[in-house]
Amino acid sequence: MKNVAVIGAGTMGNGIAHTFAQSGFKVNLIDISEQSLERGIATIAKNLDRMVAKEKITEADKQNTLGNITTYTDTKEGVANVELVVEAATENTDLKLKIFKDLDAFCNDSTILATNTSSISITQIAAVTASGRQDKVIGMHFMNPVPIMKLVEIIRGYNTSDEVTKTIMDLSEQLGKVPVEVNDYPGFVANRILMPMINEAIETLYNGVAGVYEIDTVMKLGMAHPMGPLQLADFIGLDVCLSILEVMYNGFKNPKYAPCPLLVNMVRAGKLGVKSGEGFYDYSESKKAEKVAAMFSN
């Protein structure tokens, strides 16, 4: 397997494309927006520059990685003759079902179709493809930031074959990742454990038990987490957290997965975390300027 297509040039998509390209694969990076593709390639180049500066790779490695990536705005053209497609579009069920229906029509019969979904049923996604394709649909859930994080959750749908599962497990190891096979239930393993913790941290804030800084500090210093759950929620995106919790709540019908009203209201208000400049923390340019000024005043 040497030819791969990645659907979506956002945070996860460009990270996945970067990882495959750096490992020597030819990657077709696909997005409906030319501007998104340009931003995606710029992000990959910036991340590679950091690696060059830290002497983890050479300038030649950087150029080879970028040379392995070709961009497309036409999905049909971009997935022609690839052996694997990794879908990394927005975490929206209807959108993913449409993409997989199109991929089923556009791709060769032998092409494996993987999704980077963090919560949506692989079996449900596979069901929109032809019956002869469903054994080749699988979950390949990378962690953010993709070039750095080692874990890949490999999720088997109801009809995913042993052969395809082994192929994707082996492929993940070729990328320098550690694949972990899990079964197809809402939230899989990572988010089934992580999201209730984040939701409980938001409930703790909502109930006035402690403030944002205090909650995160307890979890960082007391539980040895690299970042607190509220900071992590900002990093993931509060809209993404809400979407995952809703998938789990609808899938299990268990009130413990019901999103906290504070999370719902913050998403409605457009406070989505790092991506919007404000969530539980302020990431605006003015706030950054204040921090810089404070550094020089000390």
Side-chain angles (χ1 to χ4, degrees):
M1 186 180 293
K2 279 294 176 185
N3 300 298
V4 176
V6 177
I7 307 286
T11 300
M12 295 304 295
N14 71 60
I16 294 167
H18 173 162
T19 300
F20 273 102
Q22 192 174 330
S23 297
F25 291 81
K26 295 297 182 183
V27 181
N28 294 346
L29 181 58
I30 304 165
D31 200 290
I32 58 173
S33 165
E34 188 66 48
Q35 290 75 19
S36 294
L37 288 167
E38 290 172 1
R39 285 195 299 271
I41 295 297
T43 298
I44 294 169
K46 183 167 67 174
N47 290 335
L48 289 168
D49 283 337
R50 288 198 189 101
M51 297 176 77
V52 171
K54 293 178 180 178
E55 299 184 348
K56 292 185 175 181
I57 63 170
T58 66
E59 181 64 29
D61 293 330
K62 171 193 167 183
Q63 295 304 326
N64 287 338
T65 298
L66 291 172
N68 282 336
I69 304 173
T70 306
T71 59
Y72 292 85
T73 54
D74 185 312
T75 301
K76 185 175 183 179
E77 183 182 1
V79 301
N81 301 316
V82 300
E83 295 140 298
L84 169 69
V85 180
V86 182
E87 172 272 318
T90 304
E91 191 75 349
N92 176 283
T93 302
D94 291 340
L95 175 61
K96 290 185 186 291
L97 296 182
K98 181 184 184 307
I99 289 171
F100 272 77
K101 192 170 184 178
D102 288 342
L103 291 176
D104 184 42
F106 297 156
C107 292
N108 295 333
D109 291 343
S110 60
T111 302
I112 297 172
L113 305 183
T115 173
N116 183 58
T117 181
S118 56
S119 60
I120 299 169
S121 167
I122 308 305
T123 304
Q124 181 182 8
I125 291 172
V128 302
T129 68
S131 58
R133 169 85 71 185
Q134 293 181 22
D135 64 323
K136 300 178 185 69
V137 179
I138 194 167
M140 201 174 186
H141 179 209
F142 291 86
M143 304 294 127
N144 185 29
V146 179
I148 296 172
M149 298 293 279
K150 289 292 188 182
L151 175 66
V152 184
E153 271 189 309
I154 306 300
I155 307 104
R156 295 185 64 141
Y158 189 82
N159 292 309
T160 307
S161 71
D162 292 341
E163 180 184 359
V164 166
T165 302
K166 184 178 186 307
T167 297
I168 297 302
M169 294 282 284
D170 292 346
L171 176 64
S172 299
E173 292 180 352
Q174 288 180 44
L175 298 175
K177 303 301 185 185
V178 178
V180 176
E181 182 182 337
V182 305
N183 290 318
D184 186 19
Y185 292 94
F188 316 131
V189 171
N191 282 319
R192 183 166 180 174
I193 295 170
L194 175 63
M195 285 302 154
M197 183 193 73
I198 287 176
N199 199 42
E200 192 62 31
I202 300 171
E203 286 278 1
T204 303
L205 177 65
Y206 180 60
N207 292 330
V209 178
V212 171
Y213 172 79
E214 290 75 16
I215 292 168
D216 278 355
T217 300
V218 166
M219 297 304 291
K220 285 191 289 186
L221 300 185
M223 313 304 166
H225 290 196
M227 68 173 71
L230 300 178
Q231 183 185 9
L232 179 57
D234 276 355
F235 183 67
I236 294 169
L238 302 191
D239 53 338
V240 176
C241 293
L242 177 59
S243 175
I244 294 169
L245 283 165
E246 287 175 336
V247 167
M248 293 169 66
Y249 179 64
N250 291 332
F252 291 115
K253 298 295 188 290
N254 189 324
K256 75 177 181 179
Y257 300 115
C260 176
L262 175 58
L263 174 62
V264 175
N265 277 342
M266 290 181 72
V267 172
R268 286 173 178 167
K271 298 184 187 301
L272 309 180
V274 174
K275 70 174 77 174
S276 68
E278 184 179 0
F280 293 106
Y281 294 87
D282 189 344
Y283 306 92
S284 63
E285 291 301 321
S286 61
K287 199 68 176 179
K288 290 177 186 175
E290 288 175 18
K291 289 179 182 176
V292 172
M295 289 170 58
F296 283 101
S297 66
N298 293 332

